[in-house]
């Protein structure tokens, strides 16, 4: 039996991301090369400096949840607040929740206001056990990702 979860991010990020932050984010989305080491990168998982694996870099057919794995980061242009639009659909095993959770907390701290809920949580998308047809909200509360139990 597989413990695979579908993770879908659909989040708008503020316009104030630095080039170094964008480079690191692109790396974790599988959209760019690994950046040169920068001290105290907040979106890097512990030990990630020795691990070239992108946390949300899966692409191609999904193994357990159907459909495709993909990550996209695009600049918002035109009228409105600007910023960045991020969409990612990945499959995760619970063993990956801790490392991916660090990245999700980093994203939540940079999410546009519309993702902030009245209870203080930040809504980034949803998760779904691969055999279920019911998604659960993907939230970051008090700097910690809330994972399915």
């Amino acid at each position: 039996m597989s413990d695979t979860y579908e993770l879908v991010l659909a989040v708008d990020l503020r316009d104030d991301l630095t080039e170094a932050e964008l480079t690191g984010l692109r790396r974790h989305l599988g959209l760019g090369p690994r950046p040169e080491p920068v001290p105290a990168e907040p979106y890097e998982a512990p030990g990630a400096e020795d691990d070239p694996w992108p946390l949300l870099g899966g692409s191609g057919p999904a193994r357990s949840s159907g459909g495709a794995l993909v990550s996209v980061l695009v600049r918002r242009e035109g009228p409105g607040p600007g910023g960045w639009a991020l969409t990612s659909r990945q499959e995760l095993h619970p063993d990956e929740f801790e490392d991916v959770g660090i990245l999700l907390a980093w994203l939540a701290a940079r999410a546009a206001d519309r993702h902030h809920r009245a209870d203080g949580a930040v809504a980034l998308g949803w998760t779904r056990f691969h055999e279920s047809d019911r998604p659960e909200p993907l939230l970051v509360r008090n700097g910690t990702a809330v994972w399915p139990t």
Side-chain angles (χ1 to χ4, degrees):
M1 182 168 154
S2 174
D3 290 336
T4 302
Y5 286 82
E6 173 191 47
L7 173 130
V8 177
L9 290 176
V11 62
D12 295 318
L13 303 172
R14 295 189 316 262
D15 200 25
D16 59 357
L17 297 178
T18 68
E19 280 303 314
E21 290 173 327
L22 287 167
T23 298
L25 179 55
R26 285 184 183 110
R27 172 221 180 250
H28 281 303
L29 298 174
L31 302 174
R34 180 168 174 71
E36 292 300 316
V38 176
E41 287 182 301
Y43 44 81
E44 291 275 298
E49 60 275 357
D50 298 325
D51 183 3
W53 176 63
L55 294 172
L56 300 174
S59 63
R63 291 186 197 153
S64 301
S65 59
L69 307 180
V70 63
S71 289
V72 178
L73 178 68
V74 294
R75 182 93 167 106
R76 289 195 171 278
E77 303 291 340
W84 297 88
L86 167 61
T87 299
S88 182
R89 181 175 187 267
Q90 301 293 314
E91 289 182 326
L92 297 179
H93 185 275
D95 290 346
E96 299 170 284
F97 286 176
E98 183 177 349
D99 287 346
V100 172
I102 293 169
L103 177 60
L104 296 178
W106 185 89
L107 289 168
R110 288 149 181 84
D113 291 342
R114 70 180 210 81
H115 296 284
H116 294 257
R117 297 178 12 161
D119 65 1
V122 181
L124 300 178
W126 59 91
T127 58
R128 178 182 65 86
F129 185 66
H130 78 278
E131 292 178 346
S132 175
D133 60 357
R134 303 188 116 193
E136 300 290 330
L138 176 59
L139 304 174
V140 172
R141 183 174 283 118
N142 299 322
T144 302
V146 179
W147 293 107
T149 54

